[in-house]
Amino acid sequence: MNDMTVMDKTMEKQKTKIAANGVNVHYGESHAIKDVNVEIEDKTVTAFIGPSGCGKSTFLRCLNRMNDTIDICKVTGDILLDGEDIYDKRVDPVQLRAKVGMVFQKPNPFPKSIYDNVAYGPRIHGLAKNKAELDEIVEKSLRRGAIWDEVKDRLDKPGTGLSGGQQQRLCIARAVATEPEVLLMDEPCSALDPIATAQVEELIDELRSRYSVVIVTHSMQQAARVSQKTAFFHLGNLVEFGATGQIFTNPEDPRTESYITGRIG
Amino acid sequence: MPVFWLVLILLALSVAGFFLGRQRALASVGGNSKNLHSLPNYYGHNVALSGLVPALGILVIWLLAQPFFIDGRVSGLIPDSVIPESSSRGLVMSDVRRVAEGLDIVVASGGMTPAEVRALDAETTDVRAELGKLGVALGSDVRPEVLNAAQAYRSLSSTGKTAMTFVVALVAALGFAYAYSKTHKDFRARNVVEQGVLGLLIFAASLAILTTVGIVLSMFFETINFFGLHNWTDFFFGATWAPNFRGDSELSILPLIWGTLYISVIALLVAVPIGLFAAIYLSEYANNAVRSFAKPLLEILAGIPTIVYGLFALLTVGPMLVRFFGQGDNGILGVEWMAGATSVLTAGVVMGIMLIPFVSSLSDDIINAVPQAMRDGSLGLGATKSETIRQVVVPAALPGIVGAVLLAASRAIGETMIVVMGAGAIAKFSVNPLESMTTITTRIVSQLTGDTDFASPETLVAFALGLTLFVITLGLNVLALAIVRKYREQYD
Amino acid sequence: MSENTQNTSRYGGSLLKQSDRTRRRNAAEKRFRAYGIGAIGIGLLMLFVLVFNIVSKGTGAFQQTFVTLDVELLESKLDKNGNRDLADIKKVTTFGYSPIIRKAVETKVASLGIETNLKTKAMAGILSKDAAAQLREYVVANPDQIGETVEFRFLAQSRVDGYLKGRVIRANIANDKNISPEQLDLVDALVASGVIVKTFNLDFILGADASDARPEAAGIGVSMMGSLFMMLVVLALALPIGVAASIYLEEFAPQNWLTDIIEVNISNLAAVPSIVFGILGLAVFINYMHLPTSAPLVGGLVLTLMTLPTIIISTRASLKSVPPSIRAAALGVGASKMQSVFHHVLPLAAPGILTGTIIGLAQALGETAPLLLIGMVGFIASNPPSGIAEGLLSPNSAMPAQIFEWAKRADPAFYERAWGGIIILLIFLVTMNTVAVILRRRFERRW
């Protein structure tokens, strides 16, 4: 309970980073997201929870327009990043994704060296003027990914040779290297063992100081551990959204309660 | 064709055997098939197969082995003194065979009676002229020893044929009789038949090995003959390809390898970029409508026979290139760089067109095997699609693409019709792509067509070329398939 | 400097405005995409050029120029004894018919009132050398017509044919021994009066090849028979052997080194250059086993070995696609393994096997290189085979070999024939592949 009060305090000061109004997503015939309204705050960890197939990942992928890569996916409604509609015709998804980074369910390092994995984003976005600056960005990102000490001696070794937990932290470092403002994480620990999960969770808590983090998870314990705000999705609807402490201790909607107590899911 | 009739008779016998066996099985249980161990048809099959399979097997083995034995026996009849300095026993034997065949033709066409043929004597008659009068041309005069050997060859052949018919018929009869006598209600006909069928299946599968062995052996022995007549260092390390009929041919494979590789490289320069970009576009950018329209159309290019490409090279691309690069002041560019329609460029470009769908469909499969997670990771970092493809997808797929290119290279090296019609016949080392050059496959064709004399190095060199070609393409294929397999395992 | 301000400056503030870098990257993206479209475009363009080329150059072969003449079959020339004895009539060679044809041409030209200073021989020169043979054949078949005047449709010689098709133009015939401007004047006049017409030529499709001097008489029909007999051999051997081998490898083969060797072997045989199979055929079937040269049987055997890997690979794929539950169900009711395969798996896989076989046959039908080595090129097949044994064993050509043969000849009139032959070959291939696609669509089963 002591923790909770601290979180609540930090929360109040944050401004809204992403605001979604009346978002609907259709996959061909099926209606995947139904009229979702949610406000995601800066420098906060927001968790999306809900049973599998509830649309939480789909909604997450709307936030940096990753759904654009799927032909049959249609998104309607407004999603505003710092007050600008990211689905505006003038917005280039490439520029958007530089601001809204993403970490995926399965660690997906590129078949390149650790260094090149991290340097990939800065290189394509032109963030470094020279090799020294790039080295600096890579080191800084690997430190933020809490993996620097483990890999600093083998930066030229392939990223695919790391363990699962290390790979995922490398992917987080890779995402951080492009200096995003929002970091989306799609079940980042589902492929990891408990020790690696703990390391990644610790990292997420540190990242909160710099970024707005949105994490999709199927583990309620994880949501409770890392997030300040929690959104519960069910069958494409956003059922309930609020402070994590409140959702887990005193849910308003009976469906949230059923899920949290393990009756649906 | 007595063998043809023999086979027909065997087939007829086995059909009869089927019904007899079936009947006997049913008779043994008084017509009540429930008391049989197996279904009645199995008893029929058992009888039919027991006679047919061994008989056909012996027939095939006999047909394959008879020439071998007869050659052995007959070549023993040739005294060493008859064999000229520059020749070998095998080459004299081919003379013997040719005379024997000539005599057979004369008998078959009614020019001489068998008795007259047997009475031929090379000492007193000019056999070559005699046969020539009757329309059978022989390459050289017939020496008495050769004629004797040829006579022996003929008589052995006919004895062999008679013996074969007899033995095959006997085996078939014994097989039928044995299976028929075993047919009884307690006989496990199904198990026996299934064992037999399994044996046939195994035989069919091992034909693949037999084919490979056949390919290697057929070229190997003639290659050995070739190296008996021609210095192997000249073949592998000489610099000139100049066959002639004076007996001092220079037959080096190096200029041919140069031509082959040059043309293949041009073909790959055309096919790999186009095929690869087409594959990338189809698998990464195109929507379903474009894919389902463009992909089959491109694959039509792969289904067009090579003779069509050859004709295209000879009659369309070649003359077009001449109009650009040749004809002096009348040409489009006003230059005189190209003399004839056949050139390295002609063959290379057309072969490249042929290989486009080959490269693109292989690369398409390989690019599709790169996990979507890789692409998501890159796109999620804000990379554009082309950046993702160039920096993540293609590097990830590189081993597979290399394998595909190697397979395409092996195709290009072994391709025959396009180079026969488009590349020309002059063997030389030159870097000018507008000159006509020649390839291994073209030379195989030209050395083995027309009037061939299997006793001359100019003909036999084709087998050495063929063996080299086989080894090169086999090596490329094994390497490429291994690379592709390893690549696929990585993402499975 | 806080992280936030740094971020905003890095990406140029508003999302609604594209940064210069993004614009550059998007331009690169567009270029890359254009390369892809270009590559596909080139591929499709090549296909179009190829097809256009074939059709535009080949359709001419299906039309031929004919000259219609009334020929008086003079008894004095053809049957001097007047007793209609076939043996006597046969003694008159084709040379003996030339005067009759010359006379017919002369009469025709005179009756139409066409003025020409050509000699009679030159006038008759617009006819094919085949005309006399055609006439003789008719007379031998109908000796009772001697003495009558019969209307004949003769082939025009290839230069006249080329003139009507635009291949031969007056400017280029200065050095041509076979045609003169005066002859072309005569042809123009005869065309105007309807004596010379260009019509559909069935003989190209059904007829036999002709010698170098008579391209107008050459047809692809006999070599089509050669191809047909080769395909019969391939079908009769490759299908059963291929299916048997696939069944063994897919259903019965134990996992051991021997199976591995067989599998590696098959995948490698599929990539061995076809010319090597030709060498194998020459060395084994012709030199060693002494099967007749140029015989479709030998061609069929060689193509069988070539087609086997294709058929085995596709048959195995369709056997693999039959779900294991079917086998389990059959075994469960007490069928033996062999019965489960032959009664259940094989029938279910049959459409796939058939499709693969047709595609393999189509491949074999278009294959040329190995046929060169076993002597199926350069042979002028003049008579269609009269039975199965003759079809298999007597020398013949095959469609692609015939096309190659025409392409090698000096007279450009043969090129038109070669392209025309390709049209026919491609019609066969397209039909076979369409049947295969339809079979696959119709019977494809999703488990």
Side-chain angles (χ1 to χ4, degrees), chain A residues 102-127:
Chain A
M102 190 157 189
V103 174
F104 296 84
Q105 191 167 1
K106 246 180 87 189
N108 55 352
F110 303 136
K112 299 165 178 280
S113 71
I114 292 170
Y115 183 95
D116 286 336
N117 259 285
V118 181
Y120 180 72
R123 273 185 184 139
I124 56 175
H125 294 297
L127 299 186

Side-chain angles (χ1 to χ4, degrees), chain B residues 94-377:
Chain B
S94 66
D95 275 348
V96 170
R97 271 196 299 273
R98 217 161 312 133
V99 174
E101 272 165 38
L103 294 176
D104 281 343
I105 293 170
V106 170
V107 173
S109 64
M112 287 188 194
T113 62
E116 278 171 355
V117 169
R118 266 191 296 275
L120 274 179
D121 185 352
E123 304 277 6
T124 53
T125 42
D126 183 353
V127 176
R128 187 184 180 190
E130 282 292 315
L131 289 179
K133 263 187 260 168
L134 294 160
V136 176
L138 290 178
S140 59
D141 282 335
V142 180
R143 285 181 306 254
E145 293 84 356
V146 172
L147 182 67
N148 284 341
Q151 299 283 24
Y153 188 90
R154 290 190 65 232
S155 77
L156 277 173
S157 292
S158 79
T159 319
K161 278 231 169 87
T162 319
M164 176 183 77
T165 313
F166 180 71
V167 169
V168 167
L170 186 71
V171 167
L174 284 178
F176 285 134
Y178 179 72
Y180 187 73
S181 70
K182 290 278 273 188
T183 303
H184 182 260
K185 73 181 172 62
D186 294 328
F187 179 61
R188 303 182 161 218
R190 183 177 56 74
N191 306 40
V192 173
V193 169
E194 288 187 352
Q195 280 302 316
V197 171
L198 187 63
L200 288 179
L201 296 184
I202 293 175
F203 172 73
S206 48
L207 262 184
I209 295 183
L210 282 182
T211 308
T212 310
V213 171
I215 287 176
V216 173
L217 288 188
S218 66
M219 294 191 293
F220 186 72
F221 285 122
E222 302 284 20
T223 304
I224 299 235
N225 274 345
F226 169 68
F227 285 131
L229 295 170
H230 194 87
N231 195 340
W232 65 272
T233 47
D234 178 58
F235 178 73
F236 284 113
F237 305 111
T240 330
W241 172 272
N244 60 45
F245 297 103
R246 295 188 303 275
D248 57 347
S249 303
E250 288 178 278
L251 301 167
S252 165
I253 195 173
L254 288 182
L256 308 185
I257 289 186
W258 168 251
T260 306
L261 290 183
Y262 200 175
I263 291 172
S264 304
V265 164
I266 291 183
L268 292 178
L269 284 179
V270 173
V272 170
I274 297 180
L276 198 54
F277 269 108
I280 287 172
Y281 188 82
L282 285 177
S283 60
E284 302 284 328
Y285 285 107
N287 57 27
N288 272 330
V290 173
R291 222 190 336 264
S292 59
F293 158 81
K295 223 180 140 156
L297 275 185
L298 273 185
E299 272 160 19
I300 289 181
L301 279 177
I304 292 177
T306 52
I307 175 79
V308 181
Y309 285 105
L311 206 63
F312 188 57
L314 179 70
L315 298 180
T316 307
V317 176
M320 193 194 75
L321 288 174
V322 169
R323 230 182 306 149
F324 272 99
F325 298 109
Q327 296 180 339
D329 292 334
N330 296 325
I332 290 176
L333 299 180
V335 289
E336 185 65 85
W337 294 342
M338 200 169 166
T342 55
S343 74
V344 171
L345 193 63
T346 313
V349 166
V350 174
M351 202 190 281
I353 297 172
M354 180 193 81
L355 290 176
I356 290 173
F358 191 72
V359 174
S360 84
S361 65
L362 279 174
S363 316
D364 197 17
D365 290 350
I366 281 154
I367 288 171
N368 280 329
V370 174
Q372 184 60 31
M374 293 280 179
R375 296 183 185 87
D376 282 348

Side-chain angles (χ1 to χ4, degrees), chain C residues 199-243:
Chain C
T199 62
F200 178 70
N201 180 20
L202 191 65
D203 279 347
F204 173 64
I205 302 171
L206 300 179
D209 190 15
S211 65
D212 279 7
R214 297 178 295 134
E216 64 277 358
I220 201 169
V222 175
S223 55
M224 216 187 275
M225 295 300 287
S227 281
L228 174 76
F229 280 106
M230 287 198 319
M231 291 307 112
L232 286 179
V233 174
V234 175
L235 190 65
L237 290 176
L239 182 60
I241 294 176
V243 170

Side-chain angles (χ1 to χ4, degrees), chain B residues 42 64 68 97 190 194 202 212 214 274 281 285 297 305 307 311-312 316 382 384-387 449 454 477, chain C residues 25 29 37 39 47 50 53 57 241 248 265 271 275 280 287-288 290 336 338-339 366 368 372 407 422 429:
Chain B
Y42 279 108
L64 286 172
F68 187 74
R97 271 196 299 273
R190 183 177 56 74
E194 288 187 352
I202 293 175
T212 310
I274 297 180
Y281 188 82
Y285 285 107
L297 275 185
I307 175 79
L311 206 63
F312 188 57
T316 307
T384 63
K385 255 191 164 172
S386 64
E387 285 160 350
T449 48
F454 284 90
N477 290 334
Chain C
R25 288 171 60 199
E29 168 78 20
I37 294 176
L47 178 65
L50 201 56
N53 205 8
K57 290 186 175 168
I241 294 176
Y248 175 70
N265 236 305
I275 185 94
L280 172 74
N287 282 357
Y288 182 70
H290 303 298
S336 70
M338 197 66 84
Q339 284 170 323
T368 324
L372 298 179
I422 280 178
L429 295 184

Side-chain angles (χ1 to χ4, degrees), chain A residues 81 84 90-92 94-95 98-99 123-127 144 178-180 210, chain C residues 3-4 6-8 10-19 21-22 25-26:
Chain A
L81 175 68
E84 292 175 331
R90 286 168 291 172
V91 171
D92 195 304
V94 166
Q95 239 168 309
K99 277 189 171 184
R123 273 185 184 139
I124 56 175
H125 294 297
L127 299 186
R144 284 193 193 157
T178 58
E179 309 255 352
R210 289 195 183 82
Chain C
E3 290 293 336
N4 236 353
Q6 196 192 11
N7 280 352
T8 340
R10 273 204 197 287
Y11 295 119
S14 170
L15 274 176
L16 300 178
K17 238 177 40 212
Q18 273 195 9
S19 67
R21 188 178 174 83
T22 313
R25 288 171 60 199
N26 281 340

Side-chain angles (χ1 to χ4, degrees), chain A:
Chain A
M1 269 299 129
N2 202 20
D3 266 4
M4 224 40 115
T5 45
V6 177
M7 276 182 207
D8 287 347
K9 253 186 239 163
T10 43
M11 258 169 47
E12 279 159 29
K13 294 171 200 146
Q14 301 307 334
K15 61 166 185 154
T16 300
K17 191 72 188 170
I18 297 176
N21 298 316
V23 174
N24 282 285
V25 179
H26 292 265
Y27 273 110
E29 295 289 285
S30 78
H31 197 175
I33 296 288
K34 296 163 189 163
D35 193 27
V36 167
N37 299 295
V38 71
E39 285 190 355
I40 290 161
E41 293 168 3
D42 202 7
K43 301 210 175 16
T44 306
V45 177
T46 307
F48 291 174
I49 61 168
S52 46
C54 67
K56 52 193 192 303
S57 283
T58 305
F59 184 69
L60 187 79
R61 292 168 69 94
C62 289
L63 299 182
N64 71 344
R65 292 183 57 174
M66 278 299 279
N67 285 334
D68 285 15
T69 55
I70 300 161
D71 288 334
I72 55 164
C73 181
K74 293 273 170 296
V75 181
T76 55
D78 298 332
I79 299 177
L80 306 178
L81 175 68
D82 292 330
E84 292 175 331
D85 183 3
I86 65 169
Y87 277 91
D88 190 289
K89 264 207 239 11
R90 286 168 291 172
V91 171
D92 195 304
V94 166
Q95 239 168 309
L96 169 71
R97 288 178 200 144
K99 277 189 171 184
V100 185
M102 190 157 189
V103 174
F104 296 84
Q105 191 167 1
K106 246 180 87 189
N108 55 352
F110 303 136
K112 299 165 178 280
S113 71
I114 292 170
Y115 183 95
D116 286 336
N117 259 285
V118 181
Y120 180 72
R123 273 185 184 139
I124 56 175
H125 294 297
L127 299 186
K129 282 192 217 44
N130 51 39
K131 179 83 169 78
E133 258 187 53
L134 191 62
D135 288 349
E136 198 184 312
I137 293 177
V138 169
E139 182 179 342
K140 192 172 69 183
S141 308
L142 285 170
R143 281 188 196 283
R144 284 193 193 157
I147 193 179
W148 172 251
D149 291 332
E150 291 157 64
V151 301
K152 64 181 176 203
D153 299 326
R154 45 171 173 155
L155 290 176
D156 55 345
K157 295 277 170 350
T160 41
L162 298 170
S163 73
Q166 286 173 321
Q167 283 190 8
Q168 193 63 304
R169 277 180 287 148
L170 174 65
C171 290
I172 292 173
R174 189 175 69 187
V176 165
T178 58
E179 309 255 352
E181 295 165 22
V182 181
L183 204 53
L184 307 178
M185 296 187 165
D186 189 358
E187 303 195 20
C189 302
S190 65
L192 305 183
D193 60 53
I195 295 169
T197 302
Q199 287 169 326
V200 172
E201 283 180 6
E202 202 177 316
L203 174 60
I204 292 171
D205 201 47
E206 284 168 29
L207 293 173
R208 177 160 68 97
S209 61
R210 289 195 183 82
Y211 313 103
S212 165
V213 178
V214 185
I215 176 169
V216 163
T217 175
H218 58 258
S219 149
M220 285 172 283
Q221 289 82 353
Q222 188 173 53
R225 281 195 298 265
V226 300
S227 72
Q228 288 78 52
K229 293 275 224 165
T230 296
F232 172 62
F233 285 80
H234 188 238
L235 300 176
N237 296 302
L238 176 61
V239 175
E240 194 168 349
F241 178 55
T244 302
Q246 198 208 325
I247 295 266
F248 279 94
T249 53
N250 191 15
E252 285 171 6
D253 195 289
R255 284 173 290 177
T256 319
E257 196 185 349
S258 306
Y259 180 66
I260 286 166
T261 52
R263 260 177 285 160
I264 54 173

